[in-house]
Every structure is written in C-alpha cells, then in structure tokens.
Amino acid sequence: MIQYTVGQIFLGVTDLKIGNVRLSHGLMLAPMAGFSDRAMRVICREWGAEYSVTEMISAKAVTFGDKKTLTLARIGEDEGNVALQLFGSEPDVMARAVEIMSQGVAGYAKPIAIDINMGCPVHKIFSNGEGSALMKSPELIEKIVRAARGATDLPVSVKLRLGVDREHINATECALAAESGGAEFIALHGRTKSEMYSGEADLESIKNVKRALQIPLIANGDIVDADSAVRALSVTGADGIMIGRGAVGNPFIFEEIKAKIEGREFKAPSLEERVTTAIRQLEFAVADKGEAVAIPEARKQSALYLKGFRGAAAIRAEINRATTFEEAKRALLSGIPHGN
Ligand SMILES: Cc1cc2nc3c(=O)[nH]c(=O)nc-3n(C[C@H](O)[C@H](O)[C@H](O)COP(=O)(O)O)c2cc1C
C-alpha cells in the first residue's frame, strides 16, 4: 500500500502492483529512445527508481530477429523491475513480438511486463500508423492489447498521450479501450501528439482519465523535482509517476521525491557525487556497448550531470570532443575544483 502524504497533507492512497511486483513509492523511469538504456536504468534504480522501461523497440523488427533491435532489448539481472516497450500497429505482429520478447534475450533477464507505445509523436512512426497514430482508433488499441495479452503471461501496459491534437482529446476513450483489452495499467503523458514537448503537461486532463479507469494510472510529464512530483500526484490522483527528462543527468530525482514522500530531508548530491555518478554510468555504458557506440551516445547525458555548475559549458564542449572513455572521464573530473 502506498500512502502519498507530504507533511500534513494527505495526497492519496493506492496499491500499485504490477504482476507480482508491488511498488512502494510508485516511482518509474520513463522509456526514452537514446537514453533509458541499461546504464541509465541501473543508475536510476540505485537512486530509487522502482521500475523502468526500455527504449522503444519495433515489434516488426523483433519478429525479423533484427540484431540491433535485440541489443536494445537486453535487460540485466541488476536492473530490478524492467518493462520492455514495443511499438507496432498490427495485432498479429505485436502478439508474435510479445511472445518472443516475454522470454527476454538469451543470456539476459526477462522483462517483468510488456509496455506498448501508443504515444510516440515522431513523424516516421506516426505516419506509419504506429505510436500516437493508434489514438485515432480506440478499437485497434483494444485489439492490439488483447492480442498482446493472449501471447504472454506477463502484464501488458500501455503508454498514451492525451490525443492526437487539442481538437481530438480522447485519452479516456483510448485508455478504456486498453483496459477492455486487458491492460494492467496506463501511463499517460499530459500532452497531445501535436504539442510534442511544448507548453506544460496538462494535469487536469490526466485527472479526468484517472477518474474513468478501474486500472491504475501513472502520470507523466514535466516532473523535474519533488515539488512537481507532489503537484502531479495531488492534481491527478494518479497511482504513481513516471519521470523522463527530469532523470537525464539527474538520477537523484528519485531519491529527492522518495525523501519528500517519506517526510525526510533530501541531501542534494555534491558536485563530486554528480561527477562520480556520471562516470559510473559512462563506464557501465561502455562495458555494455563498447566505446565507439557508448561515448557519442552518452555525451548529452554526461554533460547534463554538470548543468548549472561553474564551467559546465566548457566541460560539455570537452565531452563532445571525447572519443574514448578516458577522455570523457578526464573532462568530467575537470568539473571538480581542486582541493574541494
Ligand atoms: C529523447 C526522448 C526519447 C523518448 N523516447 C520514448 C520512447 O521510446 N517511448 C515512449 O513511450 N516515450 C518516449 N519518450 C517520451 C517520454 O517517455 C515521456 O513521456 C516524455 O518525455 C514526457 O515526460 P518527461 O517530461 O518526464 O520527460 C521520449 C522522450 C524523450 C525526450
């Protein structure tokens, strides 16, 4: 049972259980292509994320046994509760991909749930009828979820946006369709597809969807610290929260929110701790993917660990030039003033 209280303020109580896994604080790391890889998931778990989602993976590519796709699907035993996210629009292809991916990649851990992406706004995905384009057809949403459920013993969840645009806000209808198809929970980003990432996440609309559902709803969008987390929970009445960009270069956000919910003081990480954590994440990524892939990929994330600190811009420039782990590490370490 999770009781959300902040000081004297009672925000709500929920029992968030995904399959056999009960979450104590309802804190999830959002799926983010190019970011929520194994390294980020491990580090966020260390700082309090209770659940994370892989980068999105093409259901079709899974059925072809595409090698690069299967690399994205690798989950470590040290990652805790990880859901694997698939995107696709054909129920039979989705079912086959879910069946394959429920076993995990050979030699790696199995996911604890399968999430279906129905919110991606990227043109290539949308124009293919995938991601947020599925919100144009709640019947298809129900079919896809039902097909996925029939292909696995794992829980199946759905990640949605509010609708395709402001004139077509239909997240409640889509979420109910997913619920009818057998979805375990819904994660909802409080923006439409057309809004992409502009403006602010619309918490009132998330609240409306939450009220219509029997299954749990996880609120997502613009949670960047404990205060915005509390606001999202209190306005929406959600059963948990999912954090994306707010955790990039800032895995500490999970501990910050946990402390707030537990009524503890949060001790912000020192600059040394930030740098050490960035280096560990980089080290992990290099061990997982090799330097040639990991270093260019991790640049943005590494640099964000130092955001707001003196000299951050110069260090970012240096990280951008780095091609090896040692160079990137040296750049990060230069952020710690001597004798500090
Ligand atoms: C770089 C990037 C990649 C993303 N990739 C995915 C993805 O693969 N699957 C998905 O469902 N959402 C994806 N998202 C959306 C996030 O999961 C999340 O819904 C969105 O960023 C809003 O939450 P935030 O404000 O906490 O970042 C991505 C977002 C970003 C910024």
Side-chain angles (χ1 to χ4, degrees):
M1 204 66 96
I2 312 176
Q3 267 210 33
Y4 292 121
T5 40
V6 174
Q8 302 299 311
I9 306 166
F10 178 67
L11 298 179
V13 55
T14 179
D15 187 17
L16 187 57
K17 214 168 143 251
I18 296 150
N20 298 321
V21 176
R22 187 167 258 124
L23 305 191
S24 64
H25 295 74
L27 295 178
M28 299 182 171
L29 170 66
M32 281 180 292
F35 289 91
S36 67
D37 59 1
R38 292 187 61 206
M40 184 181 191
R41 300 193 302 259
V42 167
I43 299 287
C44 286
R45 181 190 186 203
E46 287 177 5
W47 285 93
E50 299 175 276
Y51 189 94
S52 60
V53 190
T54 64
E55 303 168 74
M56 66 179 193
I57 292 165
S58 158
K60 206 175 262 175
V62 167
T63 64
F64 296 153
D66 179 65
K67 268 212 173 115
K68 188 160 173 262
T69 299
L70 294 177
T71 310
L72 294 175
R74 294 181 315 189
I75 297 168
E77 296 289 352
D78 49 356
E79 288 184 39
N81 305 317
V82 184
L84 185 134
Q85 189 187 62
L86 291 168
F87 70 94
S89 61
E90 296 160 88
D92 54 337
V93 174
M94 186 60 76
R96 181 77 193 114
V98 167
E99 192 183 343
I100 297 168
M101 283 291 85
S102 295
Q103 301 310 311
V105 174
Y108 288 85
K110 291 182 187 173
I112 72 150
I114 301 289
D115 185 62
I116 305 179
N117 181 322
M118 301 197 181
C120 181
V122 171
H123 180 71
K124 202 175 125 203
I125 304 284
F126 183 80
S127 59
N128 222 7
E130 300 168 325
S132 58
L134 292 169
M135 295 193 73
K136 291 194 270 187
S137 173
E139 307 85 65
L140 183 56
I141 289 180
E142 185 174 341
K143 273 191 200 143
I144 291 173
V145 176
R146 183 161 287 125
R149 272 298 301 268
T152 185
D153 291 333
L154 297 177
V156 172
S157 58
V158 168
K159 185 157 174 285
L160 292 171
R161 281 190 175 231
L162 294 178
V164 169
D165 55 36
R166 280 276 143 191
E167 285 66 52
H168 301 90
I169 300 250
N170 67 345
T172 300
E173 201 185 342
C174 293
L176 287 170
E179 184 176 272
S180 300
E184 182 97 353
F185 72 88
I186 304 289
L188 179 58
H189 177 189
R191 286 188 178 84
T192 63
K193 178 256 171 196
S194 297
E195 288 166 338
M196 301 291 280
Y197 294 92
S198 65
E200 277 174 32
D202 173 357
L203 299 178
E204 286 295 326
S205 292
I206 297 181
K207 174 177 81 180
N208 294 337
V209 180
K210 161 66 193 162
R211 286 187 172 165
L213 288 180
Q214 303 290 318
I215 55 175
L217 182 109
I218 309 299
N220 167 243
D222 298 351
I223 298 170
V224 292
D225 53 21
D227 289 344
S228 45
V230 168
R231 199 175 326 119
L233 284 166
S234 60
V235 174
T236 65
D239 301 275
I241 47 179
M242 186 174 258
I243 298 157
R245 292 166 297 171
V248 177
N250 184 30
F252 322 105
I253 188 172
F254 295 102
E255 167 58 18
E256 182 186 347
I257 297 169
K258 220 171 190 170
K260 184 88 169 185
I261 291 171
E262 290 175 359
R264 288 188 283 111
E265 190 75 27
F266 169 65
K267 200 173 148 286
S270 63
L271 183 55
E272 283 85 342
E273 208 162 2
R274 288 183 165 274
V275 165
T276 314
T277 310
I279 292 171
R280 284 195 50 243
Q281 185 172 335
L282 201 56
E283 201 168 18
F284 200 101
V286 168
D288 189 41
K289 305 176 183 180
E291 241 172 14
V293 175
I295 298 295
E297 239 182 51
R299 282 177 186 144
K300 278 174 286 177
Q301 189 146 196
S302 288
L304 279 170
Y305 271 95
L306 293 167
K307 194 177 153 196
F309 285 90
R310 190 133 53 94
I315 295 165
R316 187 170 59 234
E318 206 177 321
I319 293 174
N320 280 335
R321 282 192 296 271
T323 53
T324 66
F325 172 66
E326 282 307 321
E327 283 167 8
K329 182 177 168 181
R330 208 174 316 126
L332 284 164
L333 284 172
S334 72
I336 307 175
H338 290 298
N340 200 347

